């Protein structure tokens, strides 16, 4: 599954309306997902290092920019990870509104963070969302929605729904769409294991993008037929909409699916994100305590706890605001990765690349243009969002500048620089 799956897409319709929402859902993967997947496919196959994108940027552009890549990715992950417990609560409150009162939802979200952190530290293996059967189970309610909606064509034109609190506009809908199309990194890392990757990999990615786009577009197109107003949509409203179509059973199915999706995605990503401070600490650019591993499970427990504190602090920001700042910071790190792709093509033309972005040096440069243009919308949108009495853009710039400050402080304390490359301690898989 890519990012949050079909769950968490509701605000796209609220902000853009049905027609424009479907158009955005069809165009975004071509301009955003495929270029990113191809870039990661080449770099991960050429440089299969622990630390991933941080190691690629460091090799291409040196220690300073390598550290900035790690910093931006870590800070972006704080906001990205806070989105999943927020979605968990959004679906939970559709069945149990009691959790929406006061700070109860915040405590539930915090419980999700603590539970997943402890599971990862203990090394408990939870069923991955890449499981085919779990994917089918999570998708089943939306298959039912697509099947049932044609039988209620125009029937929901005057349907009474609970008032929404969403303030998402078309630009906010675009950013939520971009977030829902993030997450191609995992598929890209196996490019070296694919037979004839130059031909097979592009075809496989096109098929995968098509399947994901269909899973987003078809339920919206089906609901468009019912006449339900776009203003009835907000985060978590798939549950109420499913209830209008299929009754309480389908409503509960969507709620359970949304909660399982959010919990499972969060739990899986804890392991992924915690490896970044681990790798950076092993290279001497973060305090060595972040490299400590739990003796039995081999999990980086200090890194997990530190990140969990950050995730907990961001839980009250709300879904749309979290997505806006996440895309802004993630986009800055993504820009460095596209730069690393082009720089390595120029500096190391003979580097073995089992998978290669087509088009030579021009192709390596041109492939980064569409994602960077889309990120321009994130900059515009972030100037209107408020976080702690400042615009999201100003807040993001402060976080980006903090990476420069931290690097130079670290360099002043350790003028010898980065540790030499060495064999890393084995971590939990």
């Amino acid at each position: 599954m890519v990012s949050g799956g079909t769950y968490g897409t509701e605000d796209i319709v609220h902000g853009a309306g049905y027609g424009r929402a479907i158009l955005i859902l069809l165009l975004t993967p071509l301009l955003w997902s495929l270029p990113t997947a191809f870039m990661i496919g080449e770099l991960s196959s050429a440089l299969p290092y622990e630390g991933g994108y941080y190691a690629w940027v460091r090799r291409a552009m040196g220690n300073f920019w390598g550290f900035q890549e790690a910093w931006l990715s870590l800070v972006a992950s704080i906001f990205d990870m806070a989105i999943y417990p927020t979605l968990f609560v959004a679906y939970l409150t559709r069945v149990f509104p009691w959790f929406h009162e006061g700070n109860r939802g915040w405590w539930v979200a915090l419980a999700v963070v603590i539970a997943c952190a402890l599971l990862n530290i203990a090394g408990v293996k939870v069923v991955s969302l890449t499981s085919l059967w779990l994917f089918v189970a999570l998708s089943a309610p939306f298959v039912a929605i697509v099947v049932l909606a044609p039988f209620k064509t125009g029937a929901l034109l005057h349907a009474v729904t609970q008032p929404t609190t969403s303030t998402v506009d078309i630009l906010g809908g675009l950013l939520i769409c971009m977030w829902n199309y993030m997450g191609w990194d995992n598929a890209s890392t196996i490019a070296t294991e694919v037979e004839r990757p130059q031909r097979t990999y592009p075809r496989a990615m096109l098929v995968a993008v098509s399947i994901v786009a269909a899973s987003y577009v078809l339920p919206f197109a089906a609901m468009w037929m019912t006449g339900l107003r776009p203003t009835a949509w907000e985060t978590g409203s798939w549950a109420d909409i499913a209830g209008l179509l299929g009754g309480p059973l389908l409503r509960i199915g969507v709620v359970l699916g949304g909660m399982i999706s959010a919990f499972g995605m969060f739990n899986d990503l804890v392991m992924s994100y915690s490896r970044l401070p681990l790798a950076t600490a092993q290279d001497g650019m973060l305090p060595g305590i972040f490299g400590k591993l739990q003796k039995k499970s081999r999990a980086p427990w200090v890194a997990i706890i530190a990140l969990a504190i950050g995730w907990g602090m961001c839980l009250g920001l709300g879904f749309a605001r979290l997505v806006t700042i996440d895309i802004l910071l993630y986009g800055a790190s993504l820009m460095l990765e596209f730069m690393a792709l082009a720089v390595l093509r120029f500096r190391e033309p003979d580097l073995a690349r089992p998978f290669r972005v087509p088009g030579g040096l021009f192709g390596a440069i041109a492939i980064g243009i569409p994602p960077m243009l889309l990120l321009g919308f994130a900059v515009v949108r972030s100037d209107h969002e408020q976080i702690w009495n400042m615009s999201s853009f100003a807040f993001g710039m402060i976080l980006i500048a903090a990476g420069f400050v931290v690097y130079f402080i670290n360099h002043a304390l350790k003028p010898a620089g980065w540790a030499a490359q060495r064999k890393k301690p084995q971590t939990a898989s």
Side-chain angles (χ1 to χ4, degrees), residues 250-281:
L250 185 57
R251 184 169 182 262
I252 292 174
V254 169
V255 169
L256 290 176
M259 293 169 62
I260 293 171
S261 174
F263 187 93
M265 289 292 292
F266 185 91
N267 187 71
D268 287 348
L269 288 171
V270 169
M271 183 176 69
S272 174
Y273 281 130
S274 64
R275 293 316 186 262
L276 193 53
L278 170 66
T280 313

Side-chain angles (χ1 to χ4, degrees), residues 242-318:
L244 293 174
L245 283 177
L249 188 61
L250 185 57
R251 184 169 182 262
I252 292 174
V254 169
V255 169
L256 290 176
M259 293 169 62
I260 293 171
S261 174
F263 187 93
M265 289 292 292
F266 185 91
N267 187 71
D268 287 348
L269 288 171
V270 169
M271 183 176 69
S272 174
Y273 281 130
S274 64
R275 293 316 186 262
L276 193 53
L278 170 66
T280 313
Q282 289 171 345
D283 283 335
M285 291 307 292
L286 279 180
I289 191 172
F290 288 99
K292 286 187 175 295
L293 303 177
Q294 206 276 340
K295 291 183 179 180
K296 185 176 180 180
S297 67
R298 308 301 294 167
W301 64 275
V302 175
I304 291 174
I305 291 175
L307 290 172
I309 292 172
W311 301 330
M313 292 175 62
C314 295
L315 290 176
L317 293 178

Side-chain angles (χ1 to χ4, degrees), residues 48 93 193 320 325 330 346-347 353 407:
T93 54
E193 302 175 34
I325 191 67
Y330 170 79
F346 180 77
R347 288 185 174 178
R353 294 173 171 88
Y407 176 85

Side-chain angles (χ1 to χ4, degrees), residues 408-422:
F408 287 117
I409 290 176
N410 198 358
H411 186 70
L413 295 175
K414 302 178 66 176
W418 294 47
Q421 291 286 347
R422 63 190 184 281

Side-chain angles (χ1 to χ4, degrees), residues 109-132:
L110 183 62
V112 171
V113 173
I114 294 173
C116 290
L118 292 176
L119 285 171
N120 274 266
I121 291 173
V124 177
K125 299 189 182 301
V126 178
V127 177
S128 171
L129 283 184
T130 56
S131 165
L132 176 60

